[in-house]
Amino acid sequence: MKNYLFLIIALKIFVISIYSQSPPPPPPPKPLIYSAPGKDEIKEFESKDFDFKADFVGVPNLTQGKLIEGTENLFKINHKGSEAHIRVIDFDFNIEKSVDKDEIFGLFKSKYLDEPGNELVSEKDFSLNGKPGKEFEIKDDLELKKIRVLIRNDRIYEQYIDVTNWHILSEYNPDKVKAFRDEAARFFASFEIVEPVGITAAKPLKTIAKGSFRLFPPVDKNRRNVLPMVAPLPTNKIFESKSGGFKIRFPANPTETVSRFQAAFGNAEMHQFALQTTVAYYGINYFDFPTAIDDKTELKIRYTAIKEKLTALPGNRLLSENDLFYGENYGQEYLMENGLATMNVRLVTVKQRLFQIIVITNGNYSSSSETLKSYKKEIKDNFFNSFEVTSLPNPTEEAVNLPENFGVSVAGNKIKIDYFKFSMDLPEKWNVVSKAQTQLFKEIGAQRVQDNKNKEVYNLSLKNTEILFLSSKSEIQTSVNNAVLTVAAERSSFPNFLPKIAIETLKTTFIEENEKLVIDPTQAMIGGVEFYWIEAENTVDKTRQRIYIGNRKGLMFEIFFVYEDQEDLRTLLKSLESAKFENTEK
């Protein structure tokens, strides 16, 4: 096993560049959760035209329209996860004496219960100033609604208040449930009829056959549940980011923010465009790699890194993932849930720009009704499918490929690598492993990782890594080696990668279950060039592994030690002290 330790170390190196250079996913927005109003937010409101008073949370907006019978006047306001309104339906006849009250109450009850997904929780009678009324409590997949209907002369008054994310509140937030019920009771109690001053003409009666009175248009019971949301913009109203190089349809104008983070190639920026509505969060983020990336395997590895970061967030669970293509550009799409919400994420890379498109809807996907699942999909599809790339800048860098010939030679006890203008003394009396044997180890390593969950990472690493030189303390064919020196070069996706960031990532990606970190990432000057290194110990056989990484000509220049005792370490360090680069510039 120890003969292959150098190879396993080499295989891990590429994981650094993948995981440390993938942009972090944005944290999912918190679902809209009800918040009770403060006393200073409650304002007394009076409508002299419609003879009522009520205490709203702010000043309501008035919209007016025509029903089958009567004129509708809707006074509405929204506040932190709740809508409250008073609907006044005005008739040109005395509705109270013309239509049986139970028939009217039944029309309001049916109006809500005919909506797919709604169910009756409770109903009860009440009266105000001697006038008959009925109170209903109704819930659906997302909301709890409380409704009061009062009949007075030529008018019907409807008081309505709801709370969104009821499925969350009822299970996890009993204090919020109580706060909403207290607010609903306050709102209902604040309503009063204001008797008009002076003499008003009584409106006539109207002869209406029992069971024939109609107030609301019939509901199509086959349609999806109409949930409150910001109305989509018309198809010709597209949000465009000139700097981002994309177009997409938001329900309203999003807010742009820029966050900065450290990537393996230096400082990087994530641009985020986000919009939170009552029902959904819409977001599109983009991040630029220094180089264009079109290799499907590499992109899949990068997408997997982002997916794993998302699923690592508390409560998140992956339900499905699918490959997709935007033109010839490879992407992936994920469906996730976290107990509170459903998250759809689409990733696609065009040239050097990685786009993350996100829709988060209220309610856990698994427990949603088929109607609600269909609605969630419609929201997602409308947003995702409107995405269009307009124009992108050229990449700032170009990846450096491994040369066909590094010009490696060994003369006496000195190794030279012409491509890097590098030389180093070999440990005295150590064996030089032939190129054919080194290639054989590489192929054995490829075979060994096929059952590993990170096999795609390892296979790509093998493809991009060239072992330039391998020296062992004893003959590998006749003994087990406890000391190995390896020099390798690896193609990095980004020629401007920073060794410090790459080696820092090893603290989380390099250390395996049977290993422990014994030396933290440390800077070292080797032959006048900056390197960073890390060391781990195998807790079973006590073998130590040390990795040095430097940036030479845009490639990862890697030096590996495997050793067990301090004498071997001194021998390895003596060779390292002899290392020279004729040109110390990158």
Side-chain angles (χ1 to χ4, degrees):
M1 291 292 290
K2 293 179 183 178
N3 281 336
Y4 305 132
L5 282 175
F6 77 93
L7 180 57
I8 299 304
I9 297 171
L11 291 173
K12 294 173 182 176
I13 292 298
F14 193 71
V15 182
I16 305 169
S17 60
I18 290 295
Y19 284 79
S20 64
Q21 294 165 359
S22 295
K30 296 180 180 178
L32 187 61
I33 296 295
Y34 174 75
S35 179
K39 291 183 178 180
D40 58 337
E41 295 179 276
I42 298 171
K43 309 294 181 185
E44 182 181 276
F45 176 82
E46 180 177 1
S47 170
K48 295 185 181 296
D49 292 332
F50 298 101
D51 304 328
F52 76 87
K53 287 182 180 179
D55 295 341
F56 282 90
V57 184
V59 180
N61 294 315
L62 171 62
T63 57
Q64 297 176 300
K66 189 73 176 162
L67 298 177
I68 295 175
E69 293 278 2
T71 302
E72 180 186 51
N73 306 275
L74 188 68
F75 298 83
K76 184 175 75 170
I77 197 160
N78 291 288
H79 178 270
K80 297 179 181 177
S82 177
E83 175 190 317
H85 73 239
I86 292 177
R87 186 198 314 264
V88 184
I89 304 175
D90 208 19
F91 300 89
D92 56 7
F93 60 93
N94 190 314
I95 183 71
E96 182 181 355
K97 295 182 178 180
S98 298
V99 182
D100 181 76
K101 64 180 177 62
D102 290 331
E103 191 172 338
I104 294 173
F105 295 148
L107 291 174
F108 277 86
K109 181 178 177 180
S110 296
K111 172 188 182 314
Y112 289 101
L113 292 184
D114 283 350
E115 294 283 356
N118 280 0
E119 62 179 85
L120 181 67
V121 178
S122 65
E123 65 177 288
K124 64 181 180 180
D125 296 326
F126 77 97
S127 65
L128 182 66
N129 297 346
K131 299 300 180 180
K134 182 76 80 171
E135 181 176 320
F136 305 102
E137 186 169 299
I138 293 171
K139 70 176 182 177
D140 62 16
D141 292 306
L142 289 178
E143 295 178 330
L144 180 73
K145 310 171 179 71
K146 294 183 71 68
I147 304 108
R148 271 193 170 189
V149 181
L150 181 74
I151 308 170
R152 176 188 176 275
N153 299 338
D154 57 349
R155 289 181 181 145
I156 298 174
Y157 294 90
E158 179 199 59
Q159 274 185 281
Y160 171 101
I161 187 168
D162 70 26
V163 62
T164 193
N165 283 316
W166 177 249
H167 60 298
I168 299 173
L169 301 183
S170 59
E171 185 171 356
Y172 300 106
N173 300 94
D175 56 330
K176 298 284 186 181
V177 171
K178 182 179 184 303
F180 169 70
R181 292 196 178 280
D182 290 347
E183 170 58 15
R186 181 208 64 76
F187 179 57
F188 283 174
S190 73
F191 178 81
E192 61 180 284
I193 300 293
V194 179
E195 297 296 338
V197 178
I199 300 174
T200 57
K203 290 187 179 180
L205 301 181
K206 185 175 181 178
T207 302
I208 300 175
K210 187 173 182 179
S212 64
F213 182 68
R214 294 291 179 268
L215 192 56
F216 303 106
V219 173
D220 179 3
K221 295 185 180 182
N222 293 320
R223 70 181 174 86
R224 63 165 172 78
N225 192 11
V226 179
L227 301 176
M229 66 172 291
V230 178
L233 293 173
T235 55
N236 62 335
K237 297 291 186 180
I238 299 291
F239 173 80
E240 180 175 5
S241 170
K242 297 288 187 183
S243 59
F246 70 88
K247 295 179 180 178
I248 198 167
R249 185 189 307 146
F250 274 96
N253 285 332
T255 300
E256 181 182 6
T257 58
V258 179
S259 57
R260 294 171 176 81
F261 63 97
Q262 190 78 17
F265 47 80
N267 295 325
E269 291 185 345
M270 171 80 81
H271 293 256
Q272 298 174 261
F273 298 81
L275 174 68
Q276 176 79 64
T277 71
T278 301
V279 169
Y281 166 93
Y282 303 83
I284 180 167
N285 317 311
Y286 72 85
F287 162 90
D288 281 344
F289 295 113
T291 59
I293 302 176
D294 56 12
D295 182 85
K296 182 180 176 182
T297 301
E298 180 173 346
L299 288 173
K300 187 173 183 179
I301 294 169
R302 295 188 182 280
Y303 296 156
T304 298
I306 295 173
K307 177 186 68 178
E308 290 177 347
K309 289 177 182 177
L310 285 170
T311 53
L313 294 173
N316 275 10
R317 185 165 72 97
L318 179 68
L319 300 179
S320 67
E321 60 180 293
N322 295 289
D323 290 347
L324 59 92
F325 283 89
Y326 176 78
E328 296 182 351
N329 303 286
Y330 172 66
Q332 285 192 342
E333 186 172 313
Y334 311 119
L335 173 63
M336 301 180 181
E337 64 181 11
N338 65 0
L340 303 177
T342 300
M343 179 188 296
N344 295 96
V345 180
R346 179 174 287 184
L347 306 175
V348 64
T349 302
V350 181
K351 295 172 63 175
Q352 80 281 10
R353 185 158 292 177
L354 169 59
F355 292 95
Q356 302 174 347
I357 311 173
I358 304 165
V359 169
I360 302 176
T361 47
N362 295 321
N364 217 33
Y365 185 83
S366 298
S367 57
S368 296
S369 65
E370 291 304 315
T371 298
L372 187 53
K373 287 179 180 177
S374 176
Y375 180 66
K376 290 171 179 286
K377 183 177 184 300
E378 183 178 339
I379 292 177
K380 183 264 293 184
D381 288 345
N382 286 341
F383 188 59
F384 281 11
N385 295 341
S386 68
F387 172 71
E388 177 186 348
V389 174
T390 52
S391 62
L392 299 180
N394 291 323
T396 58
E397 302 283 346
E398 185 174 346
V400 178
N401 293 319
L402 298 175
E404 291 186 9
N405 187 353
F406 281 91
V408 180
S409 61
V410 178
N413 71 331
K414 188 177 291 290
I415 177 178
K416 289 186 178 181
I417 305 174
D418 293 340
Y419 182 81
F420 293 116
K421 299 188 182 306
F422 171 81
S423 64
M424 183 173 70
D425 293 341
L426 301 179
E428 292 184 12
K429 299 182 181 180
W430 279 35
N431 296 281
V432 176
V433 180
S434 69
K435 189 174 182 63
Q437 289 176 320
T438 300
Q439 183 61 33
L440 180 61
F441 287 147
K442 192 173 180 180
E443 291 178 9
I444 293 172
Q447 184 182 34
R448 290 178 59 204
V449 300
Q450 293 314 299
D451 294 330
N452 191 288
K453 67 175 183 177
N454 293 319
K455 73 174 184 178
E456 289 179 323
V457 177
Y458 290 148
N459 286 336
L460 191 56
S461 178
L462 287 165
K463 173 184 173 182
N464 286 289
T465 300
E466 181 77 20
I467 299 174
L468 304 178
F469 174 79
L470 173 61
S471 180
S472 61
K473 182 178 179 181
S474 59
E475 173 58 49
I476 62 172
Q477 299 283 24
T478 59
S479 63
V480 173
N481 269 282
N482 295 334
V484 175
L485 167 64
T486 307
V487 178
E490 183 175 346
R491 179 188 183 275
S492 173
S493 299
F494 317 122
N496 54 340
F497 76 90
L498 301 177
K500 179 180 180 180
I501 304 301
I503 210 74
E504 283 283 350
T505 310
L506 286 175
K507 292 177 68 172
T508 55
T509 61
F510 173 65
I511 307 301
E512 297 183 349
E513 291 183 2
N514 62 337
E515 297 172 341
K516 66 177 181 180
L517 183 69
V518 291
I519 299 180
D520 276 317
T522 305
Q523 184 191 41
M525 299 301 294
I526 300 176
V529 173
E530 181 184 61
F531 279 70
Y532 279 84
W533 62 281
I534 193 171
E535 184 164 306
E537 181 182 72
N538 186 300
T539 57
V540 177
D541 61 20
K542 304 304 180 182
T543 301
R544 290 201 173 193
Q545 307 160 29
R546 181 179 295 194
I547 305 176
Y548 295 84
I549 297 178
N551 186 333
R552 304 307 301 149
K553 302 179 74 169
L555 298 176
M556 280 190 172
F557 191 96
E558 303 157 355
I559 302 173
F560 310 136
F561 291 172
V562 176
Y563 73 96
E564 189 169 339
D565 58 51
Q566 290 300 308
E567 182 181 350
D568 289 336
L569 176 60
R570 285 191 290 271
T571 299
L572 289 164
L573 288 176
K574 182 178 179 181
S575 288
L576 195 63
E577 289 172 1
S578 71
K580 293 180 182 178
F581 289 96
E582 293 181 21
N583 182 3
T584 57
E585 298 296 322
K586 285 186 179 180

